[in-house]
Amino acid sequence: MQVKEVKEELIYIEKVKKINENKKLKYYILTMGCQLNENDSEKIAGMLEEMNYEKTLDMQDADLVLFNTCCVRENAEERLFGKIGEVKKLKEENGTIIAIGGCMMQEEHITKKIKQSYPYVDIIFGTHTLNKLPQDLYEALDENKKVRDIINIDGQIIEGLPISRDDKIKASVTIMNGCNNFCSYCIVPYVRGRERSRRPQDIIDEVIGLSKNGYKEIMLLGQNVNSYLVSQKAKGEDVNFKVIVNDKEMIVNSFATLLIALDEIEGIERIRFISPHPKDFTNDVIDAIKNSKHICKQIHLPLQSGSTRVLKEMNRKYTKEEYIKLAEKIKNKIPEIVFSTDIIVGFPGETEEDFEDTLDVVQKVNFEQVFMFIYSRRVGTVADKMENQIPEEVKHKRFDRLKELVENQMKVQNENYVGKEVQILVEGKSKNNDKMLTGRTESNKVVNFEGTDDLIGKIINVKIISEHQWYLKGSIIK
Ligand code: SAH
Ligand code: SF4
Ligand code: F3S
């Protein structure tokens, strides 16, 4: 297995720490991508804090500005170029160090553009070599050396990097990196490399550590979590890992057995995961969820399209009927289950009929949450080369129709919550009103309610009293 413990990284961390001693330096990170990207930002923050930088939320005030980029859709890219323009002044006036990392930096046409058009950027680093940041920073500070070339390798799993987490109740735990699926629209396999899984005991130890630090909910992350350990198995490696949880010996050799082991960890009340791929959703995973104490009865099951023809063009490897059957099978085994999904509208060649198939699946499965995306062409992907691209106007009209259907369904679902008693994990103060607390149901609905701060981090019962489209209002059951 390609696992590496940090070592020379720690030497560079020490070197930078020394240079920065007593300087009261600050860092600012802007995270532009998905939860994996956020989890990487937490590791970057962990390293920076070890190197004597303190976090600031004000970019103007920072000695080091870092953008952690995403390239899954075009608007994410445009945002970065706006931001790099913005920091030029900071660089000129204060000598601020500018670092850019993340998925976009694994794209050669982008790094070329940055080197040519934005020569004042100090450091660029990719997703595969996040651990090299201390070295890059040392070289930028000590030798005034500019950006290095990004190594385009699949990278190793690095264990032992420091981490500074954003939340005290919920934590993300990456269980695998990369993707082997090559859905035809998607850039992720090109920028995150091939699948590689962390060792089960490393994941378990991280979660035990989180539990000891008071965390109550964990979100397992990976591009295709239910192919955990699958590529190692395919290579002929022995993947029967003996692990110890609560002094009990267990075997972990798949995603399902990992879930079963994590379910045993005391103190973790809720376990979620994103994203599973419908084609790999095996019965053992369904049973693991059904029989577990802590795995939420809520599954994110990315649909992408409801048309069998489009799904084939997307290289998703399931049909409309197979998807619906899978959702039904899960629902039959676990009646309280709720689903959320991702959908792309306007994939090349999508006809009115194809789009109606998507609407049909949405009607039938009745998702509680739908993340909707307008298809965005990505350089280097198969779909980008397809000739039958859909006009922007048609894409937008379809998007609006899907949105309307989803919002109507949500309204009915929300109304069904009113009057019900639900268990929520209290996450903290409400963002918009600090007299209110906020939490989530197991089904991932946001519930705001009046309560005292001592409830934060606890699971409590509330009665839902009203619905407000994006959240529910509840009152504590005494
Ligand atoms: N690995 C995850 C998703 C990663 S990207 C999965 O397979 O579900 C998150 C979502 O972004 C995808 O589910 C997809 O709906 C969307 N997406 C990916 N590429 C896209 C593109 N080129 N245009 C629009 N949406 C895209
Ligand atoms: Fe992209 Fe498909 Fe891999 Fe998800 S499974 S990251 S959509 S290629
Ligand atoms: Fe995530 Fe965007 Fe990269 S969605 S994996 S940060 S391309």
Side-chain angles (χ1 to χ4, degrees), residues 56 99 106 109 135 216 256 258 261:
T56 171
Q106 292 292 150
H109 69 281
Q135 185 177 348
K216 300 292 177 216
L258 177 70

Side-chain angles (χ1 to χ4, degrees), residues 20 22 39 44 60 69 103 109 119 138 166 234 238 240 245 275 307 310 369 377 403 442 462:
N20 288 346
N22 301 323
N39 195 226
I44 294 168
Q60 308 297 324
T69 61
C103 293
H109 69 281
Y138 174 74
D166 294 332
D238 179 11
N240 289 306
V245 193
S275 288
S307 152
V310 172
Q369 228 178 343
R377 293 175 79 160
K403 189 161 164 264
E442 185 175 338
V462 298

Side-chain angles (χ1 to χ4, degrees), residues 32-37 69-72 103 187-188 191-192 223:
M32 302 165 116
C34 63
Q35 274 155 300
L36 273 162
N37 192 243
T69 61
C70 168
C71 51
V72 79
C103 293
I187 193 75
V188 171
V191 296
R192 286 269 175 181
Q223 293 302 347

Side-chain angles (χ1 to χ4, degrees), residues 345-357:
V345 294
F347 181 82
E350 182 188 72
T351 62
E352 174 61 23
E353 210 184 337
D354 292 324
F355 176 64
E356 280 170 16
D357 273 331

Side-chain angles (χ1 to χ4, degrees), residues 137-194:
L137 192 53
Y138 174 74
E139 288 172 2
L141 291 171
D142 191 64
E143 301 164 17
N144 204 12
K145 205 161 140 185
K146 285 277 170 188
V147 291
R148 65 167 76 230
D149 285 318
I150 307 269
I151 317 161
N152 205 1
I153 45 157
D154 276 349
Q156 290 166 304
I157 296 275
I158 312 287
E159 294 294 345
L161 285 179
I163 183 159
S164 167
R165 294 183 179 273
D166 294 332
D167 197 288
K168 302 241 169 311
I169 311 289
K170 298 197 293 184
S172 296
V173 175
T174 300
I175 64 166
M176 60 188 299
N177 286 323
C179 179
N180 291 356
N181 290 315
F182 289 93
C183 301
S184 63
Y185 50 81
C186 185
I187 193 75
V188 171
Y190 302 90
V191 296
R192 286 269 175 181
R194 296 295 68 70

